[in-house]
Amino acid sequence: MRIPPLARLALLLALLAAAAGSLLLWSPQRLLSQEFTSGSRELWAAPVFVAVFAFGTLAFFPKPVLNAAAGALFGIIQGLSLAVAGTTLGAVLAFSLGRGLGRDALQPLLKKILAALDRRLTDQGFRSVLLLRLVPGIPFQAVNFAAAFSGVRLGPFTAATTLGVLPGTAAYVIAGASASSPTSPAFLISTTVMAAITVLTFVSLRRSRRAFVTASPG
């Protein structure tokens, strides 16, 4: 028996709430710090880290913290590859849940309210998702579900996510890997990039708020 769209949307919201609520019982950062040691090379270490990272992003755990943990535990090269893999897997999980459970209920509403965004995401999926990943201040999960509720195909979404998260992820991974040497060029450059991302995010949020206030009636 086919589940009605609104029931599937309710299930999606329940799953996301349960994932976020589970953080009251466990912390990805604490789990990683307890179970992994710097330089771990066990066969299980990399896939388990990616799985914890992916579920952490699905549960709305701060991704920069996970990125820094990747650098601290695995170094720059392996840490960056694992962080990008975990980020991409988490995005694909959110996309798949949104596409399977929420799209049918929300797409008619999106077409009325956000017609231009829906059309752009559908017609220029890879380019649009890539730009949304690169622009500071846009929430990671918001892009996942906006893409899922639109007509973006999974392949372009995954490829654009992998490329788009590289710059920001690299900055936090390098900072985590070089945190023990706060005067090193790698740490100073990565923290400068993170500060720039923070400033750009703040400016973007202020502009968005100003545009919203200006557009509001009265």
Side-chain angles (χ1 to χ4, degrees):
M1 184 176 62
R2 190 171 184 273
I3 303 176
L6 287 179
R8 278 183 283 152
L9 176 60
L11 177 59
L12 171 64
L13 296 176
L15 289 174
L16 294 177
S22 72
L23 295 177
L24 297 175
L25 304 176
W26 74 292
S27 166
Q29 184 185 24
R30 184 169 62 250
L31 175 64
L32 294 174
S33 64
Q34 291 175 350
E35 298 298 330
F36 293 82
T37 57
S38 182
S40 293
R41 291 296 181 269
E42 291 83 354
L43 292 177
W44 55 264
V48 170
F49 181 87
V50 170
V52 172
F53 195 116
F55 186 80
T57 62
L58 187 65
F60 302 94
F61 190 82
K63 199 163 68 68
V65 176
L66 296 173
N67 289 333
L73 294 171
F74 293 95
I76 296 175
I77 302 301
Q78 188 179 13
L80 178 58
S81 62
L82 293 179
V84 171
T87 299
T88 303
L89 178 58
V92 169
L93 288 175
F95 179 93
S96 300
L97 285 173
R99 178 62 57 88
L101 297 176
R103 185 185 182 194
D104 288 346
L106 291 178
Q107 195 175 37
L109 180 64
L110 291 176
K111 284 185 175 179
K112 293 180 180 179
I113 300 178
L114 301 173
L117 177 61
D118 179 59
R119 185 168 56 253
R120 182 177 179 83
L121 285 170
T122 300
D123 296 341
Q124 303 179 33
F126 176 85
R127 181 182 178 185
S128 298
V129 172
L130 180 61
L131 290 175
L132 290 171
R133 293 298 191 200
L134 290 171
V135 174
I138 300 180
F140 180 72
Q141 287 286 35
V143 177
N144 294 338
F145 290 110
F149 300 148
S150 70
V152 178
R153 291 179 290 115
L154 178 60
F157 170 81
T158 303
T161 294
T162 301
L163 290 176
V165 301
L166 269 173
T169 299
Y172 285 96
V173 168
I174 294 171
S178 57
S180 60
S181 303
T183 58
S184 66
F187 184 81
L188 294 175
I189 292 173
S190 62
T191 52
T192 300
V193 172
M194 289 190 298
I197 292 175
T198 301
V199 171
L200 289 173
T201 299
F202 179 73
V203 171
S204 177
L205 290 174
R206 286 201 63 180
R207 286 182 176 177
S208 299
R209 181 178 179 275
R210 189 177 304 161
F212 176 79
V213 171
T214 302
S216 298

